[in-house]
DNA sequence: AACTGGACCAACCGCGAATGC
DNA sequence: AGCATTCGCGGTTGGTCCAGT
């Protein structure tokens, strides 16, 4: 039996990280950059395994992470991306700037899952006929919502900052600032000007050839297909999913590049490819090209999901 | 005041994919 | 090709807080 390369020593510390450990880790990463985690514990003297260091960095210390309550916009994004992708938290997180997959996962499990359950129970108590008309109303309400809000959402472009990586002193001072607010429960931490600098971390990652999020939108179509065939637990029912797809009155919408101007280029490319794929796979269905769904998901209007919930009796 | 149960969330675990040698 | 290691992901756990009783 081969022992795992990590976390196999008795001396390895577990449990919550202390501020001192955080400072040591951040200082080291500021100096050497993220990666080569194997050497981190030995180089820093931390009694943590390399994996623990990496997780602590990526899930907590990494710059550009937004903490605190989710906005209605983000909530709507999560609901619909979960409907589209299932429990692909990393993929969902890649479309929600600054949010960690762990946070999204937690938020789904603690808040949204219950919410969706209620919705499901509510919709189960109605007849199928009523359901389909409600599904239609939902589509309409989406349309209304869309027409009322013209701005667009640009996940990465909206946060184009200098690609300069923050200095270690800044990073550590950020940590200290957080700890100075002694309250252990620390919701809704406003993003300060200083923290704005850290929002360019994705660019920093890109410059280091760590491009993981870029590939996600391209996989949307595949995952949608998988969703259709795979009966994963915790995912919305087929009926709910179909209701999301039931944009009957949108089938004739033009799907040219101009409709996708608000999305990042890579998403657009993926969408076009996906739409072409859909022409083959959904010939006999009324579902709109997935590119629309992708665009819609990336559209700011989805943030007004609560409005839509109020508008639509389905919710 | 003490207890209890739920909510929340950081951290851990195990697995599979990717990578390097 | 085969092995070791790294990395990323999703599921789960355990500690803490807090409201209700």
């Amino acid at each position: 039996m081969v022992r795992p390369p990590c976390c196999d020593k008795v001396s390895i510390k577990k449990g919550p990280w202390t501020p001192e450990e955080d400072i040591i880790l951040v200082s080291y990463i500021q100096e050497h950059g993220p990666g080569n985690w194997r050497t981190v514990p030995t180089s820093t003297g931390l009694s943590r395994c390399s994996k623990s260091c990496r997780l602590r960095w990526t899930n907590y210390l990494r710059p550009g992470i937004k903490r605190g309550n989710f906005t209605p916009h983000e909530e709507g994004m999560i609901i619909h991306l979960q409907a589209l992708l299932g429990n692909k938290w990393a993929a969902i997180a890649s479309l929600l700037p600054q949010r960690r997959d762990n946070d999204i996962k937690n938020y789904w499990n603690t808040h949204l899952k219950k919410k969706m359950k209620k919705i499901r129970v509510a919709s189960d108590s109605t007849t199928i006929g009523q359901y389909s008309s409600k599904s239609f109303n939902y589509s309409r309400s989406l349309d209304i919502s869309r027409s009322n809000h013209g701005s667009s959402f640009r996940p990465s472009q909206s946060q184009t900052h200098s690609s300069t990586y923050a200095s270690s002193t800044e990073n550590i001072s950020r940590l200290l600032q957080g700890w100075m607010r002694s309250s252990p429960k620390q919701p809704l931490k406003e993003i300060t000007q200083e923290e704005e600098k850290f929002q360019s971390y994705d660019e920093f990652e890109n410059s280091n050839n760590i491009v993981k999020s870029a590939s996600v939108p391209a996989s949307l179509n595949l995952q949608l297909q998988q969703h259709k065939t795979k009966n994963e637990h915790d995912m919305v029912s087929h009926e709910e999913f179909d209701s999301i797809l039931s944009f009957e009155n949108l089938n004739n919408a033009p799907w040219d590049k101009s409709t996708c101007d608000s999305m990042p280029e890579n998403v657009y490319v993926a969408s076009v490819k996906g739409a072409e794929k859909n022409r083959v796979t959904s010939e006999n269905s009324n579902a709109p090209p997935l590119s629309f769904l992708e665009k819609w998901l990336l559209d700011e209007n989805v943030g007004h999901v609560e409005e839509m919930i109020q508008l639509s009796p389905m919710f």
Side-chain angles (χ1 to χ4, degrees):
Chain A
M1 175 85 183
V2 180
R3 301 177 80 183
C6 174
C7 306
D8 57 344
K9 292 177 186 169
V10 180
S11 61
I12 295 296
K13 189 180 166 190
K14 289 185 179 178
W17 280 65
T18 65
E20 290 78 15
E21 289 175 313
D22 283 343
I23 288 181
I24 292 169
L25 180 60
V26 168
S27 302
Y28 178 84
I29 291 168
Q30 295 289 348
E31 201 175 327
H32 299 92
N36 201 12
W37 296 106
R38 193 187 182 189
T39 62
V40 173
T42 49
S43 302
T44 60
L46 286 168
S47 301
R48 300 277 181 175
C49 68
S50 56
K51 187 174 181 176
S52 186
C53 293
R54 178 171 53 85
L55 282 173
R56 182 63 178 173
W57 171 255
T58 55
N59 280 343
Y60 197 88
L61 300 172
R62 183 169 67 101
I65 288 174
K66 186 177 171 187
R67 312 187 67 77
N69 293 347
F70 282 76
T71 64
H73 178 196
E74 290 171 320
E75 189 176 308
M77 290 277 286
I78 293 168
I79 289 170
H80 291 283
L81 285 168
Q82 204 278 342
L84 187 66
L85 302 174
N87 295 352
K88 303 293 178 191
W89 306 118
I92 293 170
S94 74
L95 294 168
L96 280 168
Q98 302 161 33
R99 289 294 187 184
R100 299 171 297 159
D101 54 355
N102 210 32
D103 273 346
I104 294 169
K105 185 170 58 182
N106 282 333
Y107 191 65
W108 173 264
N109 287 330
T110 55
H111 292 90
L112 300 179
K113 205 153 92 173
K114 288 172 198 163
K115 212 177 237 185
M116 296 305 288
K117 206 173 181 177
K118 280 184 190 174
I119 292 165
R120 209 171 299 176
V121 168
S123 68
D124 282 350
S125 67
T126 64
T127 65
I128 293 169
Q130 283 170 327
Y131 184 84
S132 35
S133 71
K134 283 171 182 181
S135 172
F136 175 74
N137 286 340
Y138 177 55
S139 307
R140 266 197 73 217
S141 66
L142 287 178
D143 235 12
I144 291 163
S145 177
R146 289 173 58 79
S147 62
N148 285 344
H149 303 89
S151 56
S152 58
F153 172 58
R154 295 161 196 265
S156 57
Q157 290 166 1
S158 65
Q159 41 171 343
T160 50
H161 302 276
S162 145
S163 62
T164 318
Y165 191 55
S167 71
S168 59
T169 48
E170 281 172 330
N171 217 357
I172 291 167
S173 75
R174 183 177 68 107
L175 282 169
L176 290 170
Q177 274 178 15
W179 298 328
M180 291 299 273
R181 300 178 198 154
S182 53
S183 169
K185 282 272 171 186
Q186 204 182 103
L188 277 182
K189 185 165 165 275
E190 291 295 327
I191 295 178
T192 63
Q193 268 192 325
E194 185 185 345
E195 286 171 335
E196 288 265 336
K197 292 176 193 169
F198 295 100
Q199 293 182 1
S200 61
Y201 182 72
D202 282 342
E203 290 171 36
F204 171 77
E205 271 196 323
N206 289 346
S207 72
N208 283 279
N209 296 321
I210 309 172
V211 187
K212 69 168 184 184
S213 61
S215 62
V216 173
S219 64
L220 285 174
N221 289 293
L222 175 63
Q223 298 201 37
L224 176 62
Q225 296 300 323
Q226 287 171 343
H227 174 102
K228 287 239 163 204
T229 54
K230 201 165 107 192
N231 197 12
E232 287 185 23
H233 72 288
D234 268 5
M235 287 165 60
V236 292
S237 65
H238 255 326
E239 290 79 5
E240 287 167 320
F241 185 66
D242 286 344
S243 78
I244 293 164
L245 288 175
S246 63
F247 297 92
E248 300 97 318
N249 52 342
L250 293 169
N251 268 339
N252 297 323
W255 303 107
D256 60 9
K257 167 93 168 93
S258 65
T259 66
C260 302
D261 277 348
S262 63
M263 73 175 79
E265 190 64 26
N266 57 344
V267 177
Y268 170 71
V269 171
S271 302
V272 170
K273 285 180 184 168
E276 283 171 4
K277 202 170 162 187
N278 279 342
R279 272 200 287 276
V280 179
T281 56
S282 64
E283 266 180 352
N284 298 323
S285 83
N286 289 329
L290 186 57
S291 56
F292 169 77
L293 283 172
E294 290 171 354
K295 180 184 183 301
W296 179 78
L297 282 164
L298 292 168
D299 197 290
E300 190 179 55
N301 299 336
V302 77
H304 303 282
V305 67
E306 290 197 344
E307 272 178 52
M308 299 178 329
I309 287 168
Q310 285 167 4
L311 279 168
S312 168
M314 176 188 167
F315 290 93

